[in-house]
Amino acid sequence: MAPLAGVESAIDAVAAVPAAPMSYWRTVGWRLGRDRTTLAAGGGLLVIVLAALLAPWLAPYDPSAGSIRLRLAWPGTPGHWLGTDEQGRDMLSRLLWGGRMTLVAGLTPVLVAFVVGSALGIAAGFVGRTTSTLIMRTMDIFYAFPSVLLAIAISGALGPGLANTLISLSIVFIPRVVRVAESATVQVKGLEYIAAARVSGAGMGAIVRHHLLANVLGPILVFASTQVSLSIILAAGLSFLGLGVTPPAAEWGLMLNTLRQSIYVNALVPALPGLAIFATSMAFNLLSDGLRDAMEVRG
Amino acid sequence: MWVYVGRRLLLAIPTLLGASVIVFAMVHLAPGDPIAAVMPAESSAAEIEATKRAYGFDRPLPVQYLVWLQRVAQGDLGRSIATRRPVILDVRDALANSLVLALSSSLLAFVVGIALGLLSAFRQGRLLDKLCAALAVIGVSVPHYWAGIILIIVFSVQLNWLPAMGAADDPGLLPFLRHIALPTVALALIPLGVITRVVRSAALDILNQEFVTALRAKGLAARRVFVHVLKNSAPQILTVLGLQFGFQLGGSVLVESVFSWPGTGYLLNLAIFQRDIPVLQGVILVLATFFVLLNLAVDLLQTLIDPRIARH
């Protein structure tokens, strides 16, 4: 029986390998489909994003309407099954609405950094010479600051508000994306097929558009995806310090900040917004890990 | 080798100058007048002007920058607008507290992270490896300021074992340890996750190389193979340790604010909300300088361990 089991698992393994060679993106999709952790993380993320998007329809109460009589109700209270906050506002409604703010504040900077950073990095890597020195040395300066410090310092200087959070976090993430984009571009640029395209008379723009982008954007995308969870933690962290989204808006970091005073009265409700940040950042991390493995990007 | 060291030292200078420009510019991005905010409400326009002149805020920006840079180079970070104390004194005290916290949390993260990473690599694919991987993902995903609050809820509020905030007032080792325990754990979570992952992948890279197979084939004891693997993955691990230590120092703002730990982060937070510009500049500049020098030290140390790096 034992040797037979071995044969059977070998047959399974063979059967699991696709018969015909697939295109790169189909292979990536196929690998992702077999990765249970990544699928679960993706599913979890979908739920979080949908909950945030549908907050106006899902939230049972107005997120800013409180009740003095029902302050800091414990989870499980009838009508407020995740409890209420220090002003008697429904926690479930605030968490749903807060997710919108946190997701916007966390995702936008990475998106901005992806676009701006790719452009700068590819320009530096492809053009080289003075352009490269100018761009890369400027980016190096931003590496003189630990990311958290840079975000807090810029936000601190600009003052509180969602827009300022987005600006300061974009400044944190752009140099990182530029570095990755530049090194990926330099690597691909040295490959023979680019030289072949150049010899056959293709212009710079055509080479970048037709030959370079497709091979460079993959690694940059994977890198950007690894930064989302940090961006979410930092965005909520800025609000937590009072530098991000301003009250009375619902945002997870801000909720954590105002509920912090209440831990002696109710130990469970103050933990909820942080749990939401944690779950979201973990889902993004697992998803980007899976994406990196499936796309076979090292680093 | 020495050429490399020299070049690396020279490269740090423009970085530091660039950082000083950013720190200087940052403050002038700020809306609102820093002087008007701290002057008594009844002060006259002439008094405000006089104070501005005393702090040099009336001159053109490039001149302000050069004057500021010259003073900074001599170790004079100016005076706090709020307390009138020399900024360098405040920053020095706060930096000492932050360093202590960064050291303790780094130590915890390094020891546990390296142990877990190596354990994972040598038990690749087994249950232990998967547990360590899960722990590492949790470490890098958890918002550390929230983790700090959870630690306070559990160990201070519910169990009443450890103090919730501040550094120890009483002398002695025990009060000191009791105060630093919770912030240390909260701050160690992220580097713990990062280090575990990097050590695992560095050790696996080495484990898959031919010389390890050769060592095993010639019958070397597992313990001795382990030493070879550790030695060869050291440069890569060292870089991450250095970077993480720097992040601990600059990244402790949130945790320091949760635990009211009197470090640079706490000072920075205070400066931001009082719009105390000299303090804000001083803290950020000192931390950035520290970070650049630390990176430099790591680079040089790496070259010392593995001379091949200097040739790239």
Side-chain angles (χ1 to χ4, degrees):
Chain A
M1 192 61 210
L4 260 186
V7 170
E8 256 168 38
S9 71
I11 292 173
D12 283 348
V14 170
V17 174
M22 297 188 292
S23 76
Y24 174 68
W25 287 106
R26 275 198 62 196
T27 319
V28 170
W30 177 78
R31 284 201 197 110
L32 280 178
R34 293 175 52 82
D35 184 347
R36 262 180 287 168
T37 315
T38 308
L39 283 181
L45 203 58
L46 197 68
V47 171
I48 293 170
V49 171
L50 279 180
L53 276 178
L54 300 177
W57 296 276
L58 289 178
Y61 296 89
D62 178 351
S64 49
S67 148
I68 303 288
R69 283 180 300 112
L70 250 178
R71 276 182 297 186
L72 290 169
W74 285 78
T77 305
H80 300 279
W81 64 278
L82 284 181
T84 57
D85 74 357
E86 78 286 354
Q87 296 189 30
R89 297 174 291 197
D90 180 55
M91 276 302 281
L92 174 64
S93 309
R94 284 184 70 74
L95 283 170
L96 289 169
W97 278 93
R100 305 183 124 204
M101 276 292 192
T102 308
L103 284 173
V104 167
L107 283 169
T108 317
V110 178
L111 208 65
V112 171
F114 177 70
V115 175
V116 178
S118 302
L120 285 174
I122 291 173
F126 198 77
V127 180
R129 293 191 302 271
T130 324
T131 314
S132 168
T133 313
L134 202 68
I135 295 177
M136 298 316 288
R137 289 293 88 80
T138 311
M139 294 303 138
D140 281 350
I141 292 169
F142 287 93
Y143 274 83
F145 306 92
S147 48
V148 182
L149 184 69
L150 188 61
I152 291 172
I154 299 175
S155 277
L158 290 174
L162 179 63
N164 289 341
T165 299
L166 299 183
I167 294 172
S168 73
L169 287 181
S170 300
I171 295 178
V172 167
F173 289 107
I174 287 173
R176 295 168 169 233
V177 176
V178 171
R179 271 202 181 174
V180 172
E182 193 255 359
S183 79
T185 307
V186 169
Q187 215 171 18
V188 172
K189 189 185 156 195
L191 295 179
E192 277 172 358
Y193 79 97
I194 299 278
R198 190 170 307 174
V199 169
S200 63
M204 207 183 232
I207 293 181
V208 169
R209 247 178 297 128
H210 300 303
H211 303 294
L212 196 81
L213 272 185
N215 287 303
V216 173
L217 284 183
I220 305 176
L221 187 72
V222 169
F223 175 77
S225 78
T226 63
Q227 302 296 301
V228 174
S229 91
L230 179 65
S231 178
I232 286 175
I233 290 180
L234 283 181
L238 287 175
S239 303
F240 176 71
L241 281 179
L243 288 174
V245 178
T246 43
E251 195 277 342
W252 291 341
L254 186 64
M255 291 165 71
L256 190 59
N257 180 20
T258 56
L259 280 165
R260 180 153 63 121
Q261 324 299 336
S262 312
I263 53 175
Y264 291 91
V265 184
N266 187 323
L268 205 52
V269 166
L272 294 176
L275 198 64
I277 306 170
F278 181 32
T280 311
S281 111
M282 181 120 151
F284 272 112
N285 261 331
L286 290 171
L287 200 65
S288 73
D289 281 357
L291 200 63
R292 190 192 53 205
D293 289 345
M295 289 174 68
E296 291 184 319
V297 176
R298 291 267 302 168
Chain B
M1 170 94 187
W2 290 111
V3 175
Y4 175 79
V5 171
R7 213 180 54 205
R8 195 62 192 75
L9 279 171
L10 282 178
L11 268 177
I13 294 171
T15 310
L16 276 175
L17 277 178
S20 78
V21 173
I22 293 183
V23 170
F24 182 80
M26 204 177 267
V27 168
H28 292 276
L29 293 174
D33 190 333
I35 296 292
V38 288
M39 293 291 282
E42 67 273 13
S43 43
S44 67
E47 277 171 334
I48 293 180
E49 272 313 306
T51 318
K52 269 191 182 170
R53 218 171 307 125
Y55 282 96
F57 282 131
D58 58 338
R59 294 202 257 176
L61 283 183
V63 178
Q64 279 192 43
Y65 170 71
L66 288 176
V67 170
W68 175 74
L69 191 68
Q70 192 191 358
R71 283 194 297 125
V72 164
Q74 293 162 354
D76 176 10
L77 293 174
R79 278 173 186 276
S80 156
I81 293 178
T83 65
R84 314 270 154 150
R85 261 164 56 88
V87 171
I88 191 89
L89 293 180
D90 283 349
V91 174
R92 191 194 57 197
D93 296 347
L95 190 65
N97 281 326
S98 280
L99 267 175
V100 169
L101 184 58
L103 279 172
S104 71
S105 64
S106 298
L107 193 71
L108 179 69
F110 290 3
V111 171
V112 180
I114 292 177
L116 289 182
L118 289 174
L119 220 64
S120 269
F122 280 86
R123 294 278 179 279
Q124 193 194 356
R126 312 249 193 100
L127 183 65
L128 197 65
D129 181 24
K130 283 172 187 152
L131 278 178
C132 290
L135 207 67
V137 175
I138 292 175
V140 294
S141 308
V142 74
H144 51 322
Y145 40 93
W146 173 70
I149 292 175
I150 298 294
L151 287 173
I152 292 179
I153 291 178
V154 174
F155 291 98
S156 304
V157 179
Q158 301 292 322
L159 297 171
N160 206 5
W161 285 354
L162 293 165
M165 51 182 53
D169 291 325
D170 323 322
L173 189 63
L174 191 67
F176 169 74
L177 287 178
R178 279 168 49 86
H179 277 89
I180 206 172
L182 295 183
T184 297
V185 174
L187 200 53
L189 288 171
I190 293 180
L192 180 66
V194 175
I195 292 167
T196 305
R197 287 178 155 201
V198 171
V199 170
R200 178 182 183 272
S201 90
L204 274 181
D205 277 351
I206 305 291
L207 270 175
N208 289 331
Q209 283 188 17
E210 280 180 358
F211 85 92
V212 175
T213 319
L215 288 176
R216 283 189 170 144
K218 85 170 188 186
L220 202 66
R223 197 155 36 88
R224 302 281 302 280
V225 174
F226 174 77
V227 173
H228 279 279
V229 170
L230 194 61
K231 218 168 82 182
N232 278 283
S233 41
Q236 208 187 334
I237 295 175
L238 196 75
T239 318
V240 176
L241 295 191
L243 271 178
Q244 289 300 320
F245 179 70
F247 287 144
Q248 293 297 79
L249 201 61
S252 57
V253 186
L254 288 154
V255 168
E256 283 183 9
S257 139
V258 169
F259 290 96
S260 304
W261 183 261
T264 46
Y266 192 67
L267 188 62
L268 182 65
N269 210 5
L270 215 62
I272 288 173
F273 287 101
Q274 294 177 335
R275 299 224 63 83
D276 194 339
I277 303 249
V279 177
L280 184 77
Q281 281 181 323
V283 174
I284 299 169
L285 193 69
V286 167
L287 286 179
T289 310
F290 209 89
F291 195 58
V292 171
L293 294 180
L294 191 76
N295 282 345
L296 185 68
V298 170
D299 266 11
L300 297 182
L301 202 62
Q302 227 183 348
T303 330
L304 216 64
I305 294 180
D306 188 355
R308 280 175 300 180
I309 292 170
R311 282 187 226 130
H312 291 311

